[in-house]
């Protein structure tokens, strides 16, 4: 039907999206313009974001989630000593949060994966992902599920609440970027190098507003988990999500993870529904020849600064990056498959045979309990330990800053290399002087032997313990375990059929959890004389707005976590972090303290920012915190997709300069007015007046992407407030004893074939203005 409506061949992304439309007949469909209302199949939440997600769901007053949903405890386990010890410590430290999530899951019908289960995206791939799936997840690396042919999209917690509350989820119709893969990978080239190259081509914002669709003969050369790696890191180029068409590599993985029935069913539609139509249109096409693709290492400080391994040493020398590598880390949601671990083990085993091992701390993160148990059974974990590795807990760990790093001091310039996905400043160890590089787990393992960036395992030799030189062989390893997967410990808690009597407690004195208070609705006035809290200069990711690491423990307590707001963003006024001038007192102070001062004086404020503001994690706290501390608008040159939506959900004005150079007109001492809000409408710019300290006023224009529904969020004060308003109206409709009761009675009689006599008796009492098709649509969803 959709193919008939559109009248042209469809990409795979379009097939999946359009098959999940809430109203496929009447939905406007225009790439980059229309807002699609969608019905996702399921929701997945990690424990850091699930706290706020469940707190919001609880405040909605609904009894049970409307779609299959799961919570995964992977973010709150800090890497210190090793997997067993670190997991035990995390369970003690986070008992209050885990108990809250466990009981809330049981009460509201959500599946709960206990701490130690593994990383959310690996669990989804092993258990829930399938070709044609539409899933949303409260983590930016949710696209990992594209490795099994699903559209898995990272969102904020408020979006998850919409879906769990049976409200259609809204997404601007994405553009589709095609990546055509040809040739075959050989030698040291891995699936990770595909996405590192794509990041080089498209940059950190090149995928914004688009789905990346891989296709071409080269895809059959990539394992299912390798495809997951590529899709996972699509988040680093701002893509809505990424996916691959169904093929035999996915079928093999489905069979190995006890889902042969899904593989068999998908195979029936592999050439029609689960692959792009011949001749489908891509808004941009990228060509990559896997045969000539060289292994890459990207960084530091940004995941799109790409270096072929042959050039890394010289580039490091030219840029004065520390050549000595201090730590090597493999695993994470991006690269922790059985294949990844097996290939690293072959490198480690060969080095050990020559009397060599890792020169540096070498940390290994299994992606799931199933992976951990299987690599233990097959001896892979022991080889990595013999190599010098420490096997950490099945969790995110250092990838998200959960790392109690001891080997360097804060501020000490150093280099680390990981197989992770993200390497922003301070991301892994909260040390802004750490130069973090991302690459394949195979290259991390090889580089750990020599511990220097100017070592190229493709061409360079290593001196063995016997004094003789040797070269590492090309890495190899089984794609899937020949003995099958060992599931390990059972760590899943299914929700009971009836959780209504379960009590979910939140201690009012807790410093970890806090029930939410609704934000105030718009007062129907223009925003006048707003103070500027900070004018941010340069890169401002969600990590800069709401730092992770030690702050993760406050994810369920909005007021406490707000003390991290903008503490690592650079102030354009003084080029310093976490130092702004209080425009009332004239004193310098931290950004959160200054915001709290303004809030105490009932003064609203605004933030100005640069390009691609809010890139990185889906962290909705980066929107909640400014709203909580008195922010009303965020005005920037451009936004990253997820963060822009998160701001709108919390009732903040997310605005962009009509002329990007107007950023330079903004002075930190300005008073800012945003006018024309009573005519706020889609596509109509808003006026902004900058009143300078010398009394001069300057007007600039601000664009926005708000649609009608999002404007209603703003007016109500937040999307959650708007949801409550709608629920209250529906409750009023359902309880009406007169007109709507008569309508419902009529429909019941119509279904039973008795409507004509009833209508003849009662039609005169029904208002002709109300007895319309829309009345029935509103009541019954016909």
């Amino acid at each position: 039907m959709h193919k008939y409506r559109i009248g042209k061949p469809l990409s795979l992304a379009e097939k999946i999206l359009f098959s999940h439309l809430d109203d496929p007949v009447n939905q406007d469909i225009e790439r980059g313009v229309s807002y699609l209302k969608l019905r996702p199949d399921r929701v997945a939440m990690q424990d850091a974001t699930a706290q706020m997600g469940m707190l919001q769901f609880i405040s909605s007053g609904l009894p049970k989630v409307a779609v299959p949903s799961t919570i995964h405890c992977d973010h709150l386990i800090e890497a210190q000593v090793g997997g067993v010890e670190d997991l035990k410590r995390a369970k003690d430290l986070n008992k209050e949060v885990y108990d809250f999530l466990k009981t809330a899951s049981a009460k509201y019908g959500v599946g709960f994966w206990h701490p130690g289960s593994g990383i959310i995206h690996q669990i989804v791939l092993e258990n829930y992902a399938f070709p044609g799936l539409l899933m949303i997840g409260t983590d930016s690396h949710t696209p990992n599920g594209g490795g099994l042919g699903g559209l898995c999209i990272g969102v904020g917690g408020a979006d998850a609440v919409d879906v769990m509350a049976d409200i259609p989820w809204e997404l601007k119709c994405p553009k589709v970027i095609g990546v055509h893969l040809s040739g075959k990978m050989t030698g040291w080239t891995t699936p990770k190098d595909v996405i590192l190259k794509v990041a080089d081509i498209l940059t950190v914002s090149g995928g914004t507003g688009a789905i990346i669709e891989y296709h071409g003969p080269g895809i059959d050369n990539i394992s299912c988990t390798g495809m997951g790696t590529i899709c996972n890191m699509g988040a680093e180029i701002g893509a809505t999500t990424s996916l691959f068409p169904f093929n035999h590599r996915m079928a093999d993985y489905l069979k190995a993870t006890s889902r042969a029935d899904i593989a068999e069913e998908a195979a029936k539609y592999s050439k029609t529904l689960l692959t792009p139509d011949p001749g489908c249109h891509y808004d941009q096409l990228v060509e990559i020849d896997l045969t000539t693709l060289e292994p890459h290492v990207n960084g530091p400080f940004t995941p799109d600064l790409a270096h072929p391994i042959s050039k890394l040493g010289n580039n490091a020398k030219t840029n004065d990056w520390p050549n000595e590598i201090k730590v090597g880390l493999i695993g994470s949601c991006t690269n922790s498959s059985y294949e990844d671990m097996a290939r690293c083990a072959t490198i480690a085993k060969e080095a050990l045979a020559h009397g060599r091992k890792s020169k540096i701390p070498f940390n290994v993160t299994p992606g799931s309990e199933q992976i951990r148990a299987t690599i233990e059974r097959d001896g892979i974990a022991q080889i990595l330990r013999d190599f010098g590795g420490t096997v950490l807990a099945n969790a995110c760990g250092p990838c998200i800053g959960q790392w109690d790093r001891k080997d360097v001091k804060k501020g000490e310039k150093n280099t680390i290399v990981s197989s992770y996905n993200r390497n922003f400043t301070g991301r892994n160890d909260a040390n802004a002087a750490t130069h973090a590089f991302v690459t394949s787990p195979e290259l991390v393992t090889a580089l750990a032997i020599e511990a220097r960036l100017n070592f190229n395992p493709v061409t360079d030799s290593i001196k063995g313990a016997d004094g003789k030189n040797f070269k590492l062989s090309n890495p190899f390893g089984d794609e899937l375990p020949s003995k099958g997967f060992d599931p390990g410990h059972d760590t899943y808690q299914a929700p009971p059929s009836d959780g209504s009597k379960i009590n979910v407690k939140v201690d009012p004195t807790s410093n970890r959890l806090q029930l939410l208070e609704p934000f105030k609705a718009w007062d129907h006035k223009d925003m006048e004389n707003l103070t500027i809290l900070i004018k941010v200069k340069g890169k401002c990711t969600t990590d800069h707005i709401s730092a992770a690491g030690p702050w993760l423990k406050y994810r369920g307590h909005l007021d406490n976590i707000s003390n991290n707001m903008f503490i690592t963003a650079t102030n354009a006024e003084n080029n310093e972090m976490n130092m702004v001038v209080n425009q009332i007192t004239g004193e310098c102070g931290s950004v959160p303290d200054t915001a709290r001062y303004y809030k105490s004086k009932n003064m609203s404020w605004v933030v100005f920012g640069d390009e691609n503001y809010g890139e990185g994690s889906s962290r909705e706290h980066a929107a909640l915190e400014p709203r909580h501390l008195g922010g009303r608008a965020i005005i920037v040159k451009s936004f990253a997709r997820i963060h822009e939506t998160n701001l709108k959900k919390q009732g903040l004005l997310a605005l962009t300069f009509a002329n990007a150079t107007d950023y330079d007109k903004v002075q930190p001492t300005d008073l800012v007015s945003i006018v024309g809000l009573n005519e706020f409408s889609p596509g109509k710019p808003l006026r902004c007046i900058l009143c300078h300290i010398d009394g001069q006023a300057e007007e600039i224009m601000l664009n926005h992407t708000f649609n009608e529904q999002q404007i209603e969020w703003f007016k109500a004060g937040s999307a959650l407030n708007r949801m409550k308003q709608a629920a209250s109206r529906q409750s009023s409709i359902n309880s009406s004893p007169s007109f709507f009761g008569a309508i419902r009675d009529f429909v019941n009689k119509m279904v039973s074939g008795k409507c004509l006599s009833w209508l003849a008796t009662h039609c005169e009492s029904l208002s002709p203005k109300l007895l319309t098709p829309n009345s029935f649509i509103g009541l019954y969803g016909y």
Side-chain angles (χ1 to χ4, degrees), residues 73 91 94-106 112 114 493 502-505 513:
C73 295
K91 286 180 176 179
N94 303 307
K95 185 178 186 305
E96 178 186 11
V97 171
Y98 291 147
D99 285 348
F100 165 72
L101 293 175
K102 182 168 63 175
T103 54
S105 295
F112 182 73
H114 286 262
Q493 171 188 291
I502 294 173
N503 188 23
V504 180
K505 289 184 178 180
L513 297 166

Side-chain angles (χ1 to χ4, degrees), residues 162-341:
D162 280 356
V163 177
M164 293 190 294
D166 202 27
I167 295 173
W169 174 59
E170 191 175 72
L171 176 73
K172 180 177 277 191
C173 188
K175 296 180 179 181
V176 185
I177 297 174
V179 178
H180 182 263
L181 301 179
S182 59
K184 184 177 182 179
M185 291 183 297
T186 58
W188 285 82
T189 303
T190 71
K192 187 66 165 279
D193 298 303
V194 175
I195 186 58
L196 294 178
K197 183 62 180 177
V198 171
D200 177 35
I201 295 168
L202 294 179
T203 77
V204 290
S205 60
T208 302
I211 291 174
I212 311 296
E213 184 167 300
Y214 293 87
H215 61 286
I219 64 173
D220 289 332
N221 183 230
I222 304 173
S223 68
C224 175
T225 51
M227 290 187 252
T229 292
I230 294 168
C231 293
N232 176 294
M233 203 174 156
E236 309 323 314
I237 55 175
T240 301
T241 191
S242 305
L243 84 162
F244 281 79
F246 179 76
N247 67 358
H248 71 93
R249 307 298 283 267
M250 294 184 192
D252 291 343
Y253 185 78
L254 286 167
K255 292 171 185 174
T257 51
S258 304
R259 292 174 287 173
D261 54 338
I262 295 177
E264 291 169 8
E265 192 67 18
K268 298 175 185 177
Y269 304 98
S270 61
K271 301 301 181 186
T272 53
L273 297 179
L274 299 177
T275 193
D277 291 333
C280 69
H281 171 69
Y282 293 112
D283 296 279
Q284 182 179 349
L285 186 63
V286 175
E287 296 275 359
I288 294 180
D289 181 0
L290 299 178
T291 305
T292 60
L293 180 63
E294 188 176 350
H296 276 63
V297 180
N298 286 22
F301 307 126
T302 184
D304 60 344
L305 183 58
H307 317 279
I309 186 63
S310 60
K311 298 180 180 179
L312 177 62
N314 285 335
N315 291 350
K317 183 177 181 180
T318 300
N319 291 282
D320 193 30
W321 300 327
N323 185 55
E324 180 189 2
I325 302 170
K326 291 289 189 180
V327 184
L329 308 102
I330 65 169
S332 85
C333 64
T334 316
N335 278 110
S336 57
S337 68
Y338 184 85
E339 180 183 35
D340 290 329
M341 297 298 174

